[in-house]
Amino acid sequence: MHEISRSLESIKVRDKEFEVYLKDSDIQQRVATIAEEINKEYKSKNPLFIGILNGSFMFASDLMKTVNIPSEIAFIRMSSYKGMSSSGAAKQVLGLQENVFGRHLILIEDIIDTGITMAQVINFFQERGPKSIKVATLLLKPEKLEKNLKLDFVGFEIPEKFVVGYGLDYDGHGRNLKDIYQLKGE
Ligand code: IMP
Ligand code: MG
């Protein structure tokens, strides 16, 4: 399977030290494999990919480079309720322009942690009458998952530790990193 490359490379993002956890080449290989599965499964379904911003932008971009079937892509974002910190507060889906009725949707997310965000996104789309909804997430933290979600395409299952890079941020920083880094120590 996908062996996780470890190295001594470490990096500072804001005030914290991170070390390489998933190398760019391993990510690329896995993302291409997922895209090939989608090519087979959605051959004549003209799927509409829905990328969830900001975190999924790199995954969505690399995934689409190997997708070679007729398809479309759109992006949404979730409103954030920072300051209020009532975790699990209802967030809203922003920015959808496309009509999703009768469409085969593939939701693209960077990471699923508790699953609360994804459960809200799925509810939002379910109410709009798509033909099907599947989820592609690059990362999943299975130990943290609280919601009963059907996850169709999962890049890597990872432990509970905080990660950054390849679209994922720490306090808004680190999204540009090619590799994925894990918080050092603890
Ligand atoms: P959930 O609603 O708990 O599944 O949280 C998902 C969101 O939390 C993701 O879209 C990320 O924005 C953020 N998140 C969760 N874990 C991490 C992490 O390790 N690094 C960066 N962001 C994370
Ligand atoms: Mg996200």
Side-chain angles (χ1 to χ4, degrees), residues 45-80:
K45 292 185 167 172
N46 187 30
L48 173 59
F49 291 89
I50 308 268
I52 303 166
L53 295 174
N54 296 327
S56 75
F57 79 99
M58 276 205 194
F59 176 37
S61 165
D62 285 336
L63 189 74
M64 295 308 280
K65 289 177 199 165
T66 303
V67 167
N68 59 12
I69 53 169
S71 59
E72 293 159 77
I73 184 161
F75 291 91
I76 57 155
R77 64 182 302 140
M78 300 297 283
S79 63
S80 59

Side-chain angles (χ1 to χ4, degrees), residues 14-119:
R14 307 288 270 175
D15 57 331
K16 299 214 187 312
E17 291 283 340
F18 291 84
E19 58 196 349
V20 174
Y21 179 64
L22 288 168
K23 292 290 275 183
D24 167 54
S25 53
D26 296 332
I27 299 168
Q28 293 302 328
Q29 203 173 36
R30 184 70 189 125
V31 170
T33 302
I34 291 174
E36 297 289 5
E37 286 175 35
I38 290 172
N39 287 336
K40 280 191 204 134
E41 194 175 326
Y42 286 85
K43 197 163 187 162
S44 43
K45 292 185 167 172
N46 187 30
L48 173 59
F49 291 89
I50 308 268
I52 303 166
L53 295 174
N54 296 327
S56 75
F57 79 99
M58 276 205 194
F59 176 37
S61 165
D62 285 336
L63 189 74
M64 295 308 280
K65 289 177 199 165
T66 303
V67 167
N68 59 12
I69 53 169
S71 59
E72 293 159 77
I73 184 161
F75 291 91
I76 57 155
R77 64 182 302 140
M78 300 297 283
S79 63
S80 59
Y81 284 74
K82 278 186 180 162
M84 293 196 225
S85 85
S86 57
S87 63
K91 292 185 202 165
Q92 276 179 310
V93 171
L94 304 176
L96 183 72
Q97 310 283 331
E98 291 69 17
N99 183 3
V100 300
F101 185 84
R103 299 296 305 267
H104 291 285
L105 305 181
I106 302 171
L107 308 179
I108 306 178
E109 180 60 302
D110 53 352
I111 185 165
I112 294 179
D113 190 24
T114 62
I116 291 169
T117 307
M118 186 49 77

Side-chain angles (χ1 to χ4, degrees), residues 24 44 48 52 74 87 120 124 129 143 149 157 166 173 181:
D24 167 54
S44 43
L48 173 59
I52 303 166
S87 63
Q120 286 170 350
F124 172 89
E143 295 155 39
L149 297 177
E157 294 195 356
Y166 196 70
H173 288 249
Y181 294 76

